[in-house]
């Protein structure tokens, strides 16, 4: 019997999702229509933020966020080095510089000590922002970071963490995205993330001005609010109180980074299933946690960071490959031969040739230690318990570790 291939992550689409997209196809608006706003309103309500603005990808959103925050040449953004390329690249898109922070070797998260150490390496006065990353679905300790970062602009890269909860400065547990200790948070709706729209991203914030700026940059920088017009003779016909119906202005160039109605309808349908997705991911991850512990001291499920209820994006095992007399590549290849996809999240970004050529980042030992051991095992909402058993059995076999019966 051939078993289906298990990728490390994938979407979970049902008939309701398909019907939602089909309805848009039969309607009047494929883009800039009502589905976008409906998705944004539901998203904001779900995470407890005042505003949600959807865009074409998480990466596009991080770019817009850096623009809307006014970051530019001469400014420094602190970014943990264990993240996806896009978190750091967002600063570079607007001409700002990155100073890479180390991470905790057990959780992969940037804590306050790592943030402060990175800030110390930046030119005095240059640090303007910090982009903490909620790696794997855990949360950075946001109240502590807010306290340490003072008035710096804090944008959470929450691409892994939709559906999770973490501690607010008040001590209450709040949804990730409520921005109780940050200026904004960015989510992705790429198919491996908690909900899928194909490509997509959603910015959330409680700052109305910031949401408006972000929305303008998403749409070419077009201004349609007459109260903001600068060239009044062009905007108003002689003797008329209302601006000309076609008129718009551009004060700063933006992009076309819109999410369309097909994607938004899918997003809204997926959002209705988010709680179920998160529950299933937690269930699967708890099962991984129990079973992986039976593989002995050299295989460790990742520790749960304090002060958060993770919405597990990835199921990471920290494996001492050298102690097991193997390599990560060999393990990945053998698992692939058994129909199991794994991945490494992430190559520390400061070691990428582009960033090595640009910066003299010192050794970041926490990140090196995390990176040397991490392996992301299949985790997605459409998986069942038996899939987890299959993965752990295969991992045990590949690592030559006898696993007692799983039942
Ligand atoms: C997925 C992801 C992004 C980028 O999102 P896209 O929607 O793929 O552009 C950024 N940061 C992190 C941590 C991510 O996981």
């Amino acid at each position: 019997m051939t078993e289906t291939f298990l990728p490390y992550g994938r979407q979970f689409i049902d008939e309701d999702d398909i019907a939602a997209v089909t309805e848009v196809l039969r309607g009047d608006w494929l883009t800039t229509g009502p589905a976008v706003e409906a998705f944004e309103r539901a998203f904001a309500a779900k995470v407890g933020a005042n505003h949600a603005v959807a865009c074409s990808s998480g990466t596009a959103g991080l770019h817009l966020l850096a623009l809307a925050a006014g970051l530019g040449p001469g400014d420094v953004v602190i970014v943990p080095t264990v993240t996806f390329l896009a978190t750091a690249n967002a600063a570079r898109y607007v001409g700002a510089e990155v100073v890479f922070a180390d991470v905790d070797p057990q959780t992969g998260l940037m804590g306050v000590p790592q943030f402060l150490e990175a800030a110390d390496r930046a030119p005095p006065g240059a640090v303007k922002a910090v982009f903490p990353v909620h790696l794997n679905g855990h949360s950075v300790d946001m109240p502590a970071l807010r306290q340490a970062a003072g008035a710096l602009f804090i944008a959470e890269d929450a691409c892994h963490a939709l559906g999770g909860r973490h501690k607010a400065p008040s001590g209450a547990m709040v949804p990730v995205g409520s921005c109780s200790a940050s200026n904004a948070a960015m989510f992705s709706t790429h198919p491996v993330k908690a909900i899928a729209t194909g490509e997509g991203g959603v910015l959330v914030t409680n700052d109305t001005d910031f949401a408006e700026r972000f929305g303008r940059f998403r749409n070419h920088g077009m201004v349609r609010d007459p109260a903001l017009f600068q060239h009044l003779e062009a905007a108003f016909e002689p003797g008329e109180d209302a601006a000309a119906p076609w008129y718009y202005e551009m004060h700063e160039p933006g992009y076309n980074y819109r999410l369309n109605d097909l994607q938004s309808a899918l997003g809204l349908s997926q959002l209705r299933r988010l709680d179920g997705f998160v529950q299933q991911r937690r269930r699967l991850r708890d099962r991984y946690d129990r079973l992986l512990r039976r593989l002995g001291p050299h295989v460790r499920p990742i520790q749960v960071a304090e002060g958060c209820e993770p919405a597990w994006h990835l199921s990471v095992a920290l494996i001492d490959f050298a102690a097991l007399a193997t390599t990560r590549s060999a393990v990945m290849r053998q698992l692939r031969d058994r129909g199991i996809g794994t991945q490494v999240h992430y190559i520390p970004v400061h070691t990428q040739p582009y960033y090595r050529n640009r910066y003299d980042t010192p050794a970041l030992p926490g990140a090196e230690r995390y990176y040397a051991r991490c392996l992301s095992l299949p985790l997605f909402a459409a998986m069942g318990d038996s899939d987890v058993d299959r993965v752990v059995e295969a991992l045990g076999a590949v690592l030559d570790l006898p696993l007692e019966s799983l039942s």
Side-chain angles (χ1 to χ4, degrees), residues 316-339:
V316 173
L318 296 176
I319 302 174
D320 188 340
F321 295 96
L324 292 165
T326 184
T327 66
R328 182 160 51 192
S329 304
V331 171
M332 285 180 81
R333 289 193 193 104
Q334 289 173 64
L335 287 172
R336 174 157 282 273
D337 290 345
R338 290 165 189 255

Side-chain angles (χ1 to χ4, degrees), residues 228-302:
L228 302 174
F229 287 161
Q230 295 177 0
H231 191 184
L232 299 184
E233 311 89 274
F236 296 89
E237 306 266 22
E240 292 188 0
D241 293 335
W246 69 84
Y247 190 76
Y248 55 81
E249 288 186 353
M250 187 195 82
H251 304 154
E252 290 171 280
Y255 299 83
N256 175 355
Y257 279 174
R258 296 185 300 261
L259 194 74
N260 67 42
D261 283 59
L262 299 165
Q263 296 169 308
S264 299
L266 179 55
L268 183 58
S269 178
Q270 288 262 297
L271 198 59
R272 295 196 183 105
R273 300 165 63 207
L274 174 64
D275 294 347
F277 289 169
V278 169
Q279 252 179 20
Q280 180 63 3
R281 284 172 174 276
R282 285 200 177 125
R283 230 182 102 75
L284 297 167
R285 193 269 169 193
D286 288 350
R287 192 171 183 86
Y288 268 125
D289 191 68
R290 269 188 292 120
L291 298 185
L292 287 170
R293 284 175 194 284
R294 299 202 199 161
L295 292 177
H298 300 306
V299 181
R300 283 276 154 231
I302 202 157

Side-chain angles (χ1 to χ4, degrees), residues 48 53 68 80 98 153 191 226 286 336 348 356 384 388 399:
V53 189
V98 180
F153 185 88
D286 288 350
R336 174 157 282 273
R356 280 171 80 102
V388 173
L399 293 173

